[in-house]
Amino acid sequence: MDLIAKERDRLLQRTARVYGLSFTVVSLVCLSMPGSVDVLTWVLCLPLYAVLGFAQVRLGRSRSLRWVALGIAAGLSAILVITFASTAGVGPSAISAVAQLSAGSIASFAVVLTTERMRRIFLAVAIVVSITIVTVSLAPYQAPLRTIPLQVLGWLLAAIIGFWISAGVPRAARRIASIGRAHRAERQASETEAQRRQGARLLHDTVLATLTLLAHSGVGVAPVALREQAADDARLLRQLRLGATPAPQSSGTYQLEVSEETVLGTTLESVKQRFGRMGLEVSWHGTGQVLLPSHVLDAFLLALAECLENVRRHSGVTEAHVTITDDETTVRAMITDSGVGFALDDVDSARLGFKESVVGRLREVGGKARLFSSPGSGTTVVLEVPK
């Protein structure tokens, strides 16, 4: 709240400065018109206008009441000089200059006198003194019933501006705070959803895959390979239970330390070994080594492993081909099998296998996946990630 009050005061001060200086300049221009006042009066008023302008400039940087008092005193002194010191009389331009000075320039100090009780008392005294001096000074040239309403209107307008800003800034601050709370709640919900999706992907790619093998009595998989995979899954579950956030380097292998950049050729080996012992013969083609940021590499390898897992489980064949290529901006992997294939429209949109473990992972790192298949013609998946 202290910060809001400071910003409110700063806004009030700057508003009063611009408001007051504008009327001060206009009043001086009116006073400088030919025939307005004699030269001696104009010369005497010039320093007073300068003091008034200086006080208004300082008011834009300081809350001190001394600049308010100095500005009001200089303005009223200039009015007295204009109305009483001129030997050639007071012309219409001089009366207009007094009006601009009293109802605009001097009244502008009301903007900064609306925030506290002491300042409001000062404002009330300033209004009474100013209106009295101006009315008496212009009495020989203008009827009081014409002078007083103009003065009241000028002070009232400046005071309303001050009250409006004083009331508006806290209201705006509350709305900004409300927007901030909504943003934090939305961000927290997004982070929670992202963690949930990450957990679902991890469990789908590891634990659920192992349980599926067990449900089918491990058909096609050596007991040793099944035990190794189950041990990897058990380590993952222990890390999750202890509150860690494992960063999978490849399916079945998890690490808690993430490196800045990892060589793709060295980490593909774990994927090769896993599916080799799972009974799927994978022929690897293309690029030997490619550098990728660690988070991109994680998503790429896990998506690749999920595609091979789908080949092993659903294609009806024991052989797949993986071709890895790259250019200046992109790394691609093409996974091909000659299995039973399927109709793309028959894929259940609620299944996590391809939608989350492949497409969702790649999308989060700026990549994409394309799927080509038809019944009896095998399946091809193209994975792309940025370097």
Side-chain angles (χ1 to χ4, degrees), residues 60 72 118 134-135 215 243 263 273 298 329 347 362 366-367:
I72 293 176
M118 185 60 65
V134 174
T135 303
V263 180
Q273 292 175 0
D298 290 342
T329 61
V347 178
L362 296 184

Short mmCIF file of all heavy atoms in Angstrom, two decimals, residues 60 72 118 134-135 215 243 263 273 298 329 347 362 366-367:
data_model
loop_
_atom_site.label_atom_id
_atom_site.label_comp_id
_atom_site.label_asym_id
_atom_site.label_seq_id
_atom_site.Cartn_x
_atom_site.Cartn_y
_atom_site.Cartn_z
N GLY A 60 6.22 19.07 -9.00
CA GLY A 60 6.17 17.79 -9.72
C GLY A 60 7.15 16.77 -9.20
O GLY A 60 7.06 15.59 -9.54
N ILE A 72 1.44 29.80 -4.50
CA ILE A 72 0.22 30.59 -4.27
C ILE A 72 0.58 32.04 -3.92
O ILE A 72 -0.03 32.99 -4.43
CB ILE A 72 -0.61 29.95 -3.14
CG1 ILE A 72 -1.16 28.59 -3.61
CG2 ILE A 72 -1.75 30.88 -2.74
CD1 ILE A 72 -1.93 27.84 -2.54
N MET A 118 -4.72 17.27 6.81
CA MET A 118 -3.98 18.51 6.96
C MET A 118 -3.93 19.28 5.64
O MET A 118 -4.06 20.51 5.60
CB MET A 118 -2.58 18.23 7.48
CG MET A 118 -1.77 19.48 7.79
SD MET A 118 -2.55 20.52 9.06
CE MET A 118 -2.44 19.40 10.46
N VAL A 134 -8.48 38.04 -4.92
CA VAL A 134 -8.79 38.26 -6.33
C VAL A 134 -10.07 39.10 -6.48
O VAL A 134 -10.13 40.02 -7.32
CB VAL A 134 -8.94 36.91 -7.06
CG1 VAL A 134 -9.41 37.12 -8.50
CG2 VAL A 134 -7.61 36.16 -7.06
N THR A 135 -11.07 38.82 -5.67
CA THR A 135 -12.33 39.58 -5.75
C THR A 135 -12.11 41.05 -5.41
O THR A 135 -12.62 41.95 -6.10
CB THR A 135 -13.37 38.96 -4.81
OG1 THR A 135 -13.57 37.59 -5.15
CG2 THR A 135 -14.69 39.71 -4.91
N ALA A 215 0.78 -59.10 -18.03
CA ALA A 215 -0.56 -59.61 -18.27
C ALA A 215 -0.59 -60.65 -19.37
O ALA A 215 -1.45 -61.54 -19.38
CB ALA A 215 -1.50 -58.46 -18.61
N GLY A 243 9.50 -37.55 -4.18
CA GLY A 243 9.30 -36.15 -4.57
C GLY A 243 10.25 -35.67 -5.64
O GLY A 243 10.27 -34.48 -5.95
N VAL A 263 24.89 -35.79 -27.00
CA VAL A 263 25.07 -36.34 -28.33
C VAL A 263 24.03 -37.42 -28.56
O VAL A 263 23.93 -38.37 -27.79
CB VAL A 263 26.49 -36.91 -28.50
CG1 VAL A 263 26.66 -37.48 -29.90
CG2 VAL A 263 27.51 -35.81 -28.26
N GLN A 273 19.38 -51.21 -27.23
CA GLN A 273 19.52 -52.36 -26.34
C GLN A 273 18.18 -52.80 -25.77
O GLN A 273 17.90 -54.00 -25.67
CB GLN A 273 20.49 -52.02 -25.20
CG GLN A 273 21.93 -51.82 -25.65
CD GLN A 273 22.83 -51.36 -24.52
OE1 GLN A 273 22.39 -51.20 -23.39
NE2 GLN A 273 24.11 -51.16 -24.85
N ASP A 298 15.44 -35.54 -24.75
CA ASP A 298 14.55 -36.37 -23.94
C ASP A 298 13.24 -36.63 -24.67
O ASP A 298 12.78 -37.77 -24.78
CB ASP A 298 14.26 -35.69 -22.60
CG ASP A 298 15.48 -35.65 -21.69
OD1 ASP A 298 16.42 -36.42 -21.94
OD2 ASP A 298 15.48 -34.83 -20.75
N THR A 329 18.53 -27.04 -39.24
CA THR A 329 17.59 -26.62 -38.19
C THR A 329 16.83 -27.77 -37.53
O THR A 329 16.26 -27.59 -36.46
CB THR A 329 16.55 -25.64 -38.76
OG1 THR A 329 15.81 -26.28 -39.81
CG2 THR A 329 17.24 -24.39 -39.31
N VAL A 347 -8.37 -44.65 -34.75
CA VAL A 347 -7.57 -44.44 -33.54
C VAL A 347 -8.41 -43.70 -32.51
O VAL A 347 -9.00 -42.65 -32.81
CB VAL A 347 -6.29 -43.64 -33.86
CG1 VAL A 347 -5.50 -43.39 -32.58
CG2 VAL A 347 -5.44 -44.40 -34.85
N LEU A 362 6.55 -33.95 -28.34
CA LEU A 362 7.27 -33.18 -29.36
C LEU A 362 6.76 -31.76 -29.46
O LEU A 362 7.54 -30.82 -29.67
CB LEU A 362 7.15 -33.89 -30.71
CG LEU A 362 7.79 -35.28 -30.81
CD1 LEU A 362 7.68 -35.81 -32.22
CD2 LEU A 362 9.25 -35.26 -30.37
N GLY A 366 8.68 -27.82 -29.47
CA GLY A 366 8.66 -27.19 -30.79
C GLY A 366 8.72 -28.15 -31.95
O GLY A 366 8.96 -27.73 -33.09
N GLY A 367 8.52 -29.44 -31.69
CA GLY A 367 8.57 -30.44 -32.75
C GLY A 367 7.19 -30.87 -33.19
O GLY A 367 6.17 -30.33 -32.76
#
